[in-house]
Amino acid sequence: MVALCGLIVGSSTQEEQLRSGGPGNASYDYVVIGGGTAGLALASRLSASASVAVIEAGGIYEQDNGNQSIVPYYGLTMPFLATTEDYPRQPLMDWGLLSTPQPSAGNRRIHYAQGKTLGGSSAINTMAYHRGTIGSYQRWADLVGDQSYTFDKILPYFKRSCTLTPPNLQKRNAPNATVLYDPSAFDNSLNGPLQVSWGNWVDPTQSWLARALQAIGQTLNPSGFSSGKVSGGAWVPSTIDPKDATRSSSESSYLRSVLEKKKAGITVHLHSQATKILFNDDKKATGVAVSTEGRGYVISAKKEVILSAGVFHSPQLLMLSGIGPAATLSAYSIGILSDLPGVGQNLWDQIFFNVLRGISVPNTGTYLATPAQQAVALQQYFSNAAGPYSSAGGYLSFEKLPPKSLAGLSSRTASLLSQFPSDWPEIEYIASGFPSGIANLTTIGAISATLLTPLSRGNVTIRSASISDPPVIDLGWLSDAADGETFVAAFKRVREAWNSPVIANITVGPEIVPGDSVFSDADILAFIRQSAQPIWHASSTCAMGKAGEKGAVVDTKARVFGVKGLRVVDNSITPLSVPGHPQSTVYMLAEKIAEDILKGR
Ligand SMILES: Cc1cc2nc3c(=O)[nH]c(=O)nc-3n(C[C@H](O)[C@H](O)[C@H](O)COP(=O)(O)OP(=O)(O)OC[C@H]3O[C@@H](n4cnc5c(N)ncnc54)[C@H](O)[C@@H]3O)c2cc1C
Ligand SMILES: *[C@@H]1O[C@H](CO)[C@@H](O)[C@H](O)[C@H]1NC(C)=O
Ligand SMILES: *[C@@H]1O[C@H](CO)[C@@H](O)[C@H](O)[C@H]1NC(C)=O
Ligand SMILES: *[C@@H]1O[C@H](CO)[C@@H](O)[C@H](O)[C@H]1NC(C)=O
Ligand SMILES: *[C@@H]1O[C@H](CO)[C@@H](O)[C@H](O)[C@H]1NC(C)=O
Ligand SMILES: *[C@@H]1O[C@H](CO)[C@@H](O)[C@H](O)[C@H]1NC(C)=O
Ligand SMILES: *[C@@H]1O[C@H](CO)[C@@H](O)[C@H](O)[C@H]1NC(C)=O
């Protein structure tokens, strides 16, 4: 048991002890709102030379979610990640956010999971690790007018955030799932806290469907996806600690590594919701109003307040505190500190659909179908950090749609797509599967396509002046016709992969979803509107930008325009949704802004 500054790790009385950092006025150099992915990375760095309080609405996931958030395989199957309105609730872990009905997506209200726990969404995500493209970060740098955001310049922050363990080929036992990567994109001498490694298990279904994607032109990328090139296929690493094959979250990596140093100046307030950011007459943030189980108090910031409440709650808290579109604030009688129309706007969201077919090879779930199989797998997991439980997935495949796909697009859509940087893929394909439950059919295979160039934009706003009402989230899905068109082209690519001769021996029967009767462009689009799902990469609702520019909320050092002493650091400040999976970029941002703060910038 380690007891430090209010947070006790490894004790059954954890929760109780944490309240020693609990209700009551107090004062710290920095107050971080949200102990999530960015929040804990940033707080850990600042704590090296300052006192830091972290205000987190949730608890400790290792206690509240059993092994579900620890064992990699469960990361793919947690029930509360379901996106339908009737999803199984897990209020100890998830905010339970529902979107407004989406008119261009079957009028569905989408359950959009977001981690409400120490570690935030890094405690519930599917752990894929890779970075964006050189062109996407160049676009970011150009949009915000700061060339310190180019890939070359941010690479040091990616490097210092993580430690990469090369694949263990013996445990992995899959010569047909070759890992290619560029070791120079990592630097283990920096002892980055986040653990990044390859699963000690390969899902046979994925290895087969990967072949199909390769056969339609998405060949293996020789450098993996962490050195600025994101095209073709790769077995990507995951945020898994290879020592015992457990999830590496911002809590299990950053926070714990700081607490272990025993000098940590970090105090975590659990089950504590920030209700408002407080300012003095000079519009300088002086602290945060906090509520812990109904008890209100103030945590003061001697230096700065840092808001890291995530893509939906950071804009909400800004608005509740008087920063946002003037009309919205006035509508709820909130005094206006800074009229920033961009707060809550510019929501980018990557969404996907699946095409399902029966296949005759097993998937990971097949190996865990019976108690006897689970016993074997548990043995492999606990004695060797290997086997089906030890891995979260792995094969990703990206492409710029080929000319024959683009030829079918309207000139408007083609023109909009051509405005993305030349190395920014339109589509990411992911292969997966699940046991079929049908007697003579081993597995149902899934090939999904995710749209990485969404032109639809959503928004986030408030419904009252109180934190107790959740934010109003309009995802804007498929509201721009270009997205539907691009998706129809991607759907045809997915069918092409399914029909590839290299997997002819393993496909069984006709297409299950949506089925061969869905054939015309109109029917394909209707299927996509009904079935699209979030891949949980929402971003950009407090966008970084140039001072005075419409839509800009923070400057390139993450300082909120119009007030002092307040930064926002999380996935809400990226001005665009970097193609692919965002967690690496969130950690990079936390490292970059922490350095700015520590250097007095
Ligand atoms: C299910 C899922 C799967 C994903 N899979 C992947 C993947 O495989 N790879 C990848 O790269 N990315 C993935 N992502 C995306 C990635 O995890 C997120 O983009 C990233 O974690 C966001 O970090 P953040 O710091 O912006 O927010 P979060 O990590 O969500 O942190 C926000 C924190 O603020 C707290 N909070 C909010 N409001 C308040 C308040 N008022 N008071 C106190 N605390 C508050 C929350 O409880 C939370 O802890 C996934 C996300 C999800 C949800
Ligand atoms: C806590 O701080 C608030 C605001 O500064 C103040 O009104 C209140 O009296 C303080 N409470 C205690 C117990 O000191
Ligand atoms: C996870 O916990 C459940 C319930 O306690 C248990 O049945 C299962 O074996 C555990 N799985 C692993 C991989 O530890
Ligand atoms: C790859 O090897 C694994 C383990 O031997 C096997 O289960 C799987 O079917 C193979 N996949 C392909 C595409 O050959
Ligand atoms: C959000 O977007 C929708 C659709 O464009 C629009 O009707 C609505 O007014 C927007 N809401 C806010 C708060 O911007
Ligand atoms: C399909 O299986 C047959 C018989 O096992 C084999 O001869 C053939 O090469 C296989 N085809 C492919 C494309 O793998
Ligand atoms: C399963 O078996 C039944 C009876 O043999 C057969 O009619 C059916 O086509 C089979 N299904 C598949 C997917 O092979």
Side-chain angles (χ1 to χ4, degrees):
M1 189 178 88
V2 212
L4 284 155
C5 306
L7 179 58
I8 312 281
V9 178
S11 153
S12 56
T13 55
Q14 239 163 354
E15 299 276 327
E16 230 152 276
Q17 308 273 10
L18 272 161
R19 300 213 178 94
S20 65
N25 290 354
S27 178
Y28 300 86
D29 293 328
Y30 298 99
V31 180
V32 177
I33 303 173
T37 314
L40 289 184
L42 192 100
S44 301
R45 291 307 190 195
L46 295 182
S47 75
S49 60
S51 67
V52 184
V54 173
I55 316 295
E56 170 53 45
I60 298 172
Y61 68 83
E62 291 92 337
Q63 290 178 4
D64 293 339
N65 207 27
N67 55 22
Q68 291 279 303
S69 271
I70 299 172
V71 178
Y73 172 71
Y74 296 142
L76 305 176
T77 61
M78 279 188 275
F80 71 85
L81 298 183
T83 60
T84 52
E85 228 177 298
D86 62 353
Y87 72 100
R89 285 168 177 51
Q90 175 29 317
L92 292 177
M93 290 294 295
D94 172 42
W95 282 89
L97 297 172
L98 278 185
S99 75
T100 59
Q102 294 296 291
S104 302
N107 257 335
R108 292 174 295 140
R109 299 182 73 197
I110 305 300
H111 167 234
Y112 208 111
Q114 290 286 285
K116 183 182 187 178
T117 187
L118 214 45
S121 296
S122 76
I124 65 168
N125 71 17
T126 32
M127 295 170 261
Y129 183 93
H130 79 90
R131 302 167 187 163
T133 68
I134 290 169
S136 61
Y137 295 115
Q138 183 64 56
R139 175 63 56 87
W140 176 338
D142 294 344
L143 277 173
V144 304
D146 183 342
Q147 297 302 308
S148 74
Y149 281 91
T150 62
F151 185 74
D152 279 354
K153 293 283 164 50
I154 58 182
L155 186 55
Y157 304 105
F158 281 115
K159 286 182 173 174
R160 82 170 60 152
S161 70
C162 65
T163 292
L164 183 80
T165 302
N168 183 325
L169 297 179
Q170 190 216 332
K171 286 188 186 177
R172 201 170 153 80
N173 187 28
N176 58 20
T178 308
V179 170
L180 300 177
Y181 70 104
D182 173 5
S184 74
F186 296 85
D187 183 353
N188 288 355
S189 74
L190 301 172
N191 285 317
L194 186 70
Q195 296 299 313
V196 178
S197 69
W198 280 269
N200 289 330
W201 167 262
V202 172
D203 178 13
T205 292
Q206 284 195 25
S207 68
W208 278 95
L209 299 185
R211 283 184 158 196
L213 291 164
Q214 289 159 8
I216 65 163
Q218 296 161 41
T219 51
L220 277 185
N221 185 319
S223 60
F225 297 145
S226 281
S227 45
K229 293 190 187 69
V230 182
S231 77
W235 292 96
V236 297
S238 304
T239 42
I240 294 176
D241 187 340
K243 161 172 65 63
D244 50 5
T246 52
R247 175 187 293 267
S248 188
S249 67
S250 64
E251 180 264 354
S252 68
S253 62
Y254 276 92
L255 181 63
R256 281 183 197 251
S257 70
V258 163
L259 292 177
E260 276 158 17
K261 284 183 193 133
K262 305 205 191 263
K263 281 189 305 200
I266 201 163
T267 303
V268 180
H269 295 250
L270 288 183
H271 303 294
S272 300
Q273 192 171 19
T275 61
K276 202 174 175 181
I277 303 160
L278 306 171
F279 294 86
N280 65 14
D281 292 342
D282 197 24
K283 296 192 182 180
K284 181 181 185 301
T286 55
V288 181
V290 181
S291 168
T292 303
E293 285 161 4
R295 287 185 59 189
Y297 56 103
V298 172
I299 303 282
S300 301
K302 286 176 242 174
K303 293 183 171 161
E304 290 193 35
V305 173
I306 295 127
L307 176 57
S308 300
V311 65
F312 301 121
H313 296 107
S314 282
Q316 177 196 29
L317 212 46
L318 285 181
M319 287 186 250
L320 295 181
S321 308
I323 299 164
T328 306
L329 305 184
S330 301
Y332 300 106
S333 308
I334 299 168
I336 299 168
L337 275 179
S338 179
D339 174 14
L340 292 180
V343 174
Q345 299 295 315
N346 192 46
L347 169 63
W348 286 60
D349 201 20
Q350 304 169 358
I351 58 177
F352 75 95
F353 63 84
N354 275 317
V355 175
L356 308 182
R357 285 190 69 170
I359 56 177
S360 59
V361 290
N363 93 308
T364 302
T366 317
Y367 290 87
L368 299 169
T370 66
Q373 286 170 309
Q374 288 166 16
V376 172
L378 282 176
Q379 169 71 18
Q380 290 173 297
Y381 184 62
F382 288 117
S383 65
N384 210 20
Y389 284 121
S390 70
S391 166
Y395 194 77
L396 307 181
S397 193
F398 294 82
E399 77 172 352
K400 280 292 236 191
L401 288 166
K404 66 176 182 200
S405 301
L406 296 174
L409 301 176
S410 68
S411 59
R412 174 180 179 270
T413 298
S415 153
L416 287 169
L417 291 180
S418 72
Q419 288 162 30
F420 283 87
S422 61
D423 67 356
W424 183 317
E426 285 102 12
I427 307 294
E428 174 182 0
Y429 303 87
I430 303 179
S432 62
F434 49 93
S436 78
I438 303 169
N440 54 354
L441 183 59
T442 316
T443 302
I444 294 176
I447 301 181
S448 70
T450 303
L451 181 63
L452 305 180
T453 51
L455 290 151
S456 307
R457 293 287 175 268
N459 57 49
V460 179
T461 189
I462 49 176
R463 64 185 93 218
S464 77
S466 165
I467 192 76
S468 50
D469 293 313
V472 180
I473 301 166
D474 181 346
L475 297 164
W477 282 6
L478 299 165
S479 55
D480 189 306
D483 292 350
E485 271 188 52
T486 311
F487 252 147
V488 169
F491 181 96
K492 293 174 184 173
R493 289 291 279 164
V494 172
R495 269 201 180 146
E496 217 179 310
W498 268 123
N499 291 331
S500 156
V502 297
I503 56 167
N505 278 6
I506 64 143
T507 52
V508 181
E511 185 176 286
I512 299 171
V513 172
D516 293 338
S517 66
V518 173
F519 195 72
S520 68
D521 286 4
D523 287 351
I524 292 171
L525 182 54
F527 161 70
I528 290 166
R529 290 196 194 284
Q530 287 300 331
S531 65
Q533 296 179 51
I535 196 161
W536 305 287
H537 294 174
S539 72
S540 314
T541 51
C542 300
M544 186 181 287
K546 297 174 187 163
E549 214 166 63
K550 190 178 181 305
V553 175
V554 301
D555 72 6
T556 61
K557 295 186 172 64
R559 297 174 297 209
V560 177
F561 289 117
V563 297
K564 295 172 201 151
L566 176 64
R567 302 190 206 224
V568 183
V569 183
D570 60 26
N571 205 33
S572 72
I573 65 169
T574 67
L576 43 77
S577 195
V578 170
H581 301 253
Q583 65 171 334
S584 64
T585 298
V586 175
Y587 285 112
M588 174 281 290
L589 258 179
E591 290 283 3
K592 188 173 192 308
I593 304 300
E595 184 179 277
D596 283 336
I597 295 172
L598 288 169
K599 293 200 167 157
R601 297 192 286 234

